[in-house]
Amino acid sequence: MAPVGHVESECTLQRESTRTERCKSHQVPNCITNIYHLGKSIQDDDVLGDLPCSEARSHSLLDILLLSQWEDHALKGNLRYDVSTCQMKIVSGAKKFIAQLNENWNLNTLMDFEKKSFQARGPYCFSDVKPHREDLLICVTFGEKEGSELVSSSILPKDGVLVIANANPVEYGHIFLVPYDVHKMPRLLDKRVLELMTQIAAEVANSSFHIFVDYDGSESMDHRGFQASYFADPLPVELLPSIPVYGNLLSTGIYIGEVADYTLKALVFVSKNFNKTVQVVGEICAYLCDNGSAFSLLISDCGKKVFLFPQVRAPFRYQLSAWECGGYFIYDTQSDFNHVTESYICSLLASVSLDAHNFKTLKQQCCTAVSKFMI
């Protein structure tokens, strides 16, 4: 990924929020943060079909902002390692799984972050943002103007998403996306949060940018943070064909497919209509949460596609992360990296996959959900 410079002067920069915005916000002492307000145009029904998503086009404002802020954070020595120097390879075989050698990788770092960030400490996710003040890059929220704008302020909007650098990155630009008012929501994976996450992916408009979240099926872990990072190449699951489950883009505006020839049973939701995507995926997430089912979500293709990876929940079985579900694996020893095989990865994916009966039930639930919103 080529470095991106600092934010250009094309953005509108304001120093303070209005009184109306303050009523919806929370003062953060000694913390001036860039607030990125998504323009109303990004919320149009057909925006997912109209926005370009290509590396050939110029970077969007939010894309430039995320990359420049993350790179500046890295240059200051705030990351544990330079993930861009990690050895990479394509695992031999038809699936083209991606393997990374990262001897500094520590999954516990992600778990520690979520444990500290999502414990109940008052009405806000971070009562004063102190634990992550130096790692806080920007805050993204819904805007009221036609176009997007950047505002510098010490006022954090309650309906915003805090963008926090991950000091233990999986890939380039790895960040946490944490809803600021998370403890006032019935569950993290509700329609409003999914809507904002999908809009962020659409506004970034970079096909390398992926947003993901994991849910282990337990009530105590309902408040989990979204993450995002840039992957230089498409994840293996994104390159596979799909078997139609419901609809098509021409007649219904939404398509649900079963990922074909993949040992982990998975679904992909594709839509040009923003609201339909959010409503249907949100409905299925609620269904899985209510049934205590583990799953991972992967938002890709600038918000146009959402992959759902349901998983078997068992105390003795390791839950795969969203990037692992997508075919991207990290190894912390040279030996494991050298000897990984496609058959081993396939067996790992199969070990957490739903059986045929439960997957059929989930597909039926998807059809029921999308039919409800098509009326």
Side-chain angles (χ1 to χ4, degrees):
M1 179 78 63
V4 176
H6 293 290
V7 181
E8 303 292 341
S9 59
E10 60 182 344
C11 64
T12 302
L13 187 62
Q14 300 177 355
R15 292 300 301 174
E16 276 294 340
S17 300
T18 64
R19 171 176 284 185
T20 301
E21 290 173 329
R22 288 171 190 247
C23 295
K24 303 176 182 178
S25 310
H26 178 64
Q27 181 78 37
V28 182
N30 303 318
C31 183
I32 302 298
T33 304
N34 286 322
I35 312 295
Y36 188 93
H37 294 274
L38 294 168
K40 282 189 174 182
S41 59
I42 198 70
Q43 302 169 36
D44 293 342
D45 282 352
D46 296 328
V47 70
L48 295 182
D50 295 338
L51 278 181
C53 185
S54 169
E55 294 302 321
R57 62 182 290 275
S58 60
H59 291 270
S60 69
L61 175 58
L62 184 55
D63 193 33
I64 292 173
L65 182 61
L66 288 176
L67 288 169
S68 62
Q69 291 284 75
W70 192 85
E71 288 175 354
D72 182 64
H73 194 74
L75 288 173
K76 291 178 180 177
N78 294 320
L79 305 183
R80 292 184 59 236
Y81 48 82
D82 182 359
V83 70
S84 66
T85 64
C86 292
Q87 186 178 348
M88 306 285 295
K89 73 174 183 180
I90 302 297
V91 178
S92 178
K95 297 293 187 295
K96 306 300 181 183
F97 291 121
I98 302 171
Q100 177 195 119
L101 173 61
N102 188 340
E103 295 177 330
N104 295 301
W105 168 248
N106 183 0
L107 180 61
N108 291 330
T109 302
L110 298 180
M111 297 178 178
D112 290 343
F113 173 87
E114 290 178 334
K115 182 179 179 181
K116 293 177 182 178
S117 301
F118 296 107
Q119 59 186 348
R121 296 188 301 177
Y124 303 103
C125 181
F126 305 112
S127 58
D128 60 358
V129 200
K130 185 178 293 184
H132 306 285
R133 185 172 296 171
E134 293 183 355
D135 300 322
L136 179 61
L137 303 182
I138 61 172
C139 179
V140 182
T141 187
F142 292 115
E144 298 180 355
K145 296 183 178 180
E146 189 65 23
S148 301
E149 66 174 354
L150 189 63
V151 178
S152 182
S153 176
S154 62
I155 308 296
L156 290 183
K158 293 181 181 180
D159 61 351
V161 168
L162 303 181
V163 178
I164 298 170
N166 183 356
N168 192 56
V170 167
E171 251 297 356
Y172 190 88
H174 194 166
I175 53 177
F176 292 102
L177 298 166
V178 184
Y180 187 59
D181 210 9
V182 67
H183 291 291
K184 285 193 174 182
M185 293 184 292
R187 58 162 56 93
L188 179 62
L189 295 167
D190 68 359
K191 179 182 179 295
R192 180 170 65 84
V193 176
L194 285 173
E195 181 180 11
L196 186 50
M197 294 299 169
T198 309
Q199 286 191 7
I200 289 173
E203 178 93 345
V204 170
N206 187 327
S207 59
S208 298
F209 185 74
H210 294 67
I211 296 178
F212 37 88
V213 67
D214 303 309
Y215 176 71
D216 72 354
S218 63
E219 292 184 6
S220 61
M221 295 300 291
D222 192 29
H223 288 151
R224 298 292 296 271
F226 283 78
Q227 301 175 57
S229 65
Y230 290 80
F231 293 92
D233 300 302
L235 296 177
V237 73
E238 297 180 82
L239 302 176
L240 294 175
S242 62
I243 303 168
V245 172
Y246 183 96
N248 63 74
L249 294 179
L250 292 178
S251 62
T252 62
I254 188 168
Y255 167 84
I256 302 176
E258 174 185 346
V259 178
D261 195 26
Y262 205 54
T263 51
L264 172 59
K265 291 182 172 61
L267 295 170
V268 58
F269 300 79
V270 186
S271 178
K272 292 184 177 181
N273 185 297
F274 180 80
N275 288 328
K276 288 179 183 177
T277 302
V278 171
Q279 289 173 334
V280 174
V281 175
E283 184 83 0
I284 299 305
C285 287
Y287 167 79
L288 291 171
C289 289
D290 292 341
N291 285 276
S293 302
F295 63 91
S296 293
L297 280 182
L298 173 68
I299 301 173
S300 69
D301 196 17
C302 304
K304 297 175 186 175
K305 291 183 180 179
V306 179
F307 289 86
L308 171 64
F309 305 101
Q311 298 186 46
V312 176
R313 182 188 171 199
F316 57 85
R317 183 176 283 115
Y318 164 64
Q319 181 186 358
L320 297 183
S321 65
W323 58 84
E324 290 172 322
C325 292
Y328 189 102
F329 293 84
I330 302 173
Y331 297 93
D332 58 7
T333 69
Q334 187 74 55
S335 177
D336 288 343
F337 177 78
N338 291 340
H339 296 98
V340 63
T341 63
E342 182 180 272
S343 61
Y344 170 77
I345 293 177
C346 285
S347 65
L348 182 62
L349 292 171
S351 70
V352 300
S353 182
L354 294 186
D355 58 32
H357 172 74
N358 286 317
F359 190 59
K360 180 180 179 180
T361 300
L362 179 60
K363 289 190 289 185
Q364 292 172 340
Q365 188 67 31
C366 288
C367 293
T368 300
V370 74
S371 297
K372 180 171 66 175
F373 294 114
M374 290 300 296
I375 299 175

